């Protein structure tokens, strides 16, 4: 069963209405999967839902379609999608077991990776993103991440390519816009995972060594406050202006912007998984409870908040309408998602 809460003015939650909700609400019966969910990626006003069979449901403001109509589950191409990422208004899909990338949507800051002459790619006209050598000699994409206006792809040889807005150094060497995929130079370790904030990129190496780097400006000391290493990391995440690392012992370390409660609240119990949206986070405890904290402007952290609309230095526990083990969670632009393994056909 898939539940959602938060901002929904463009139908990005896939409910039977277009209003914000502040309690976990079951998504429409029209969103059906026969396979378990694998990933949810969210842009400014649209959502991508991917199942383990490689099929995608697109919700919300979709270029070339009704902005308040969701598309039924279907392959994005003739080969299965293995993961996806979303900028504010563009969607990128990794296909063919990591040997290809395709994109749709719009963006005037290089988000499409197609050069300055292509600012829109309609829903029915996917474009290939070209990275030198991809698909040759076993080279493939192993991770994909997007910020507000930029995207990075981590390759199997540990190199990273990026495109989009680059003025803050989030793609390495500063540029106003990187229109086509460009290799990020100067990395002194093999990258295995990436996440993106509004104007930064966070890259990590293998958990045993814990090497990592923040690319971009040192706004709110997001670079200065980073630890020397993040050994034994289990999961990494980013809000627009902060970074979160979940370690194998169930603890979370956060740094960056925290004026709306975005950083890890004190006293958090051991965590098994987390998800980080624009300015809020979700976490699932080891005993299966779903917690939320941060900026709660659209009810994306639940019903309890302070006078400023924040869940600050505390957390809300989100109660689900039906009993079932939590299988995953995701967070977007003031949107939150939880899926369980109840006996319903929606997973």
């Amino acid at each position: 069963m898939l539940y959602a809460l938060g901002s929904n003015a463009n139908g990005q939650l896939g409910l039977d209405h277009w209003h914000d909700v502040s309690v976990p609400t079951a998504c429409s019966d029209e969103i059906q999967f026969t396979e378990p969910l694998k990933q949810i990626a969210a842009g400014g006003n649209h959502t991508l839902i991917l199942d383990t069979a490689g099929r995608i449901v697109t919700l919300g403001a979709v270029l070339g379609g009704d902005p308040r109509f969701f598309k039924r589950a279907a392959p994005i191409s003739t080969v299965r999608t293995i993961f996806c990422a979303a900028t504010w208004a563009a969607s990128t899909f990794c296909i063919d077991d990591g040997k290809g990338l395709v994109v749709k949507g719009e963006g005037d800051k290089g988000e499409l990776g197609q050069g300055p002459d292509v600012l829109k790619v309609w829903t029915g006209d996917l474009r290939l993103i070209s990275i030198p050598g991809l698909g040759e000699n076993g080279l493939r994409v192993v991770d994909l991440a997007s910020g507000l206006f930029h995207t990075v792809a981590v390759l199997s040889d540990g190199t990273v390519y990026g495109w989009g807005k680059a003025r803050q150094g989030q793609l390495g060497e500063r540029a106003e816009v990187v229109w086509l995929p460009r290799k990020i130079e100067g990395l002194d370790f093999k990258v295995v995972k990436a996440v993106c904030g509004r104007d930064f990129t966070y890259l990590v190496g293998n958990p045993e060594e814990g090497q990592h780097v923040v690319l971009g400006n040192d706004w709110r000391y997001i670079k200065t406050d980073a630890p020397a290493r993040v050994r034994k990391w289990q999961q990494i995440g980013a809000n627009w202006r902060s970074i979160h690392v979940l370690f194998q012992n169930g603890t979370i370390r956060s740094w960056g912007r925290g004026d709306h409660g975005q950083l890890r609240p004190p006293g958090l119990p051991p965590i098994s998984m987390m998800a980080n949206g624009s300015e809020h986070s979700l976490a699932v405890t080891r005993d299966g409870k779903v917690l939320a904290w941060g900026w709660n402007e659209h009810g994306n952290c639940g019903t309890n908040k302070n006078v400023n609309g924040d869940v600050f230095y505390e957390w809300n526990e989100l109660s689900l309408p039906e009993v079932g083990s939590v299988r995953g969670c995701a967070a977007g632009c003031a949107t939150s998602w939880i899926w369980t393994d109840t006996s319903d056909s929606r997973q």
Side-chain angles (χ1 to χ4, degrees):
M1 179 75 77
L2 178 62
Y3 302 95
L5 64 159
S7 178
N8 192 42
N10 287 274
Q12 60 264 52
L13 297 185
L15 306 178
D16 291 322
H17 57 78
W18 305 324
H19 308 294
D20 294 0
V21 293
S22 57
V23 295
T25 304
C27 292
S28 170
D29 289 334
E30 295 293 326
I31 305 173
Q32 296 185 15
F33 292 88
T34 58
E35 302 294 333
L37 293 189
K38 180 179 182 180
Q39 181 194 0
I40 294 179
N45 294 295
H46 73 288
T47 308
L48 310 173
I49 305 177
L50 172 67
D51 72 8
T52 55
R55 295 173 301 178
I56 290 280
V57 163
T58 303
L59 310 173
V62 181
L63 184 64
D66 186 333
R68 292 177 174 173
F69 181 76
F70 49 80
K71 308 296 183 182
R72 286 182 172 84
I76 201 67
S77 71
T78 56
V79 290
R80 61 190 293 269
T81 298
I82 59 172
F83 38 79
C84 54
T87 61
W88 183 262
S91 305
T92 306
F93 307 91
C94 184
I95 61 172
D96 196 16
D97 291 325
K99 298 175 185 177
L101 293 171
V102 293
V103 67
K104 68 175 182 177
E106 60 183 319
D108 59 3
K109 299 177 178 63
E111 300 98 309
L112 302 177
Q114 301 296 306
D117 296 328
V118 180
L119 304 183
K120 291 184 179 181
V121 177
W122 298 95
T123 296
D125 183 29
L126 294 171
R127 294 288 189 95
L128 183 70
I129 295 175
S130 179
I131 294 179
L134 186 62
E136 301 174 2
N137 300 316
L139 188 64
R140 58 190 179 89
V141 177
V142 297
D143 196 30
L144 186 68
S146 290
L148 204 57
F149 303 114
H150 73 288
T151 297
V152 296
V154 180
L155 305 189
S156 53
D157 62 358
T159 60
V160 183
Y161 281 77
W163 57 96
K165 184 180 176 182
R167 187 168 56 182
Q168 307 300 326
Q170 58 266 54
L171 297 178
E173 181 182 353
R174 292 175 188 267
E176 189 68 25
V177 172
V178 175
W179 290 104
L180 297 170
R182 184 186 72 180
K183 184 179 179 180
I184 297 178
E185 302 287 357
L187 301 173
D188 59 1
F189 62 92
K190 182 178 179 179
V191 177
V192 301
K193 190 73 176 174
V195 292
C196 298
R198 181 186 177 96
D199 291 309
F200 70 83
T201 301
Y202 180 53
L203 307 172
V204 297
N206 68 73
E208 291 73 26
E209 295 295 329
Q211 294 168 296
H212 65 154
V213 66
V214 182
L215 303 177
N217 280 344
D218 196 19
W219 197 83
R220 297 292 179 103
Y221 306 104
I222 201 163
K223 298 171 76 170
T224 302
D225 287 349
R229 298 275 181 131
V230 287
R231 289 187 175 92
K232 297 185 178 181
W233 65 268
Q234 175 181 318
Q235 188 181 353
I236 62 170
N239 301 136
W240 278 356
R241 300 287 194 182
S242 53
I243 293 172
H244 310 268
V245 179
L246 171 61
F247 292 94
Q248 295 170 13
N249 63 3
T251 63
I252 293 176
R253 179 162 181 172
S254 303
W255 65 94
R257 182 181 182 182
D259 55 331
H260 289 280
Q262 297 97 319
L263 304 184
R264 174 195 58 81
L268 202 66
I271 298 301
S272 62
M273 70 181 80
M274 67 176 183
N276 310 102
S278 51
E279 300 287 3
H280 75 291
S281 294
L282 302 182
V284 180
T285 66
R286 288 183 171 177
D287 58 359
K289 296 177 181 178
V290 182
L291 312 180
W293 65 88
W295 202 345
N296 196 27
E297 182 180 9
H298 292 273
N300 40 287
C301 294
T303 55
N304 298 322
K305 54 188 176 182
N306 64 18
V307 294
N308 297 317
D310 307 326
V311 182
F312 197 96
Y313 285 160
E314 59 180 349
W315 61 82
N316 285 339
E317 182 177 340
L318 302 179
S319 298
L320 301 179
E322 297 183 33
V323 177
S325 299
V326 175
R327 298 290 297 274
C329 61
C333 188
T335 53
S336 299
W337 307 83
I338 306 146
W339 56 97
T340 66
D341 66 352
T342 61
S343 58
D344 192 284
S345 62
R346 291 168 290 172
Q347 294 295 313

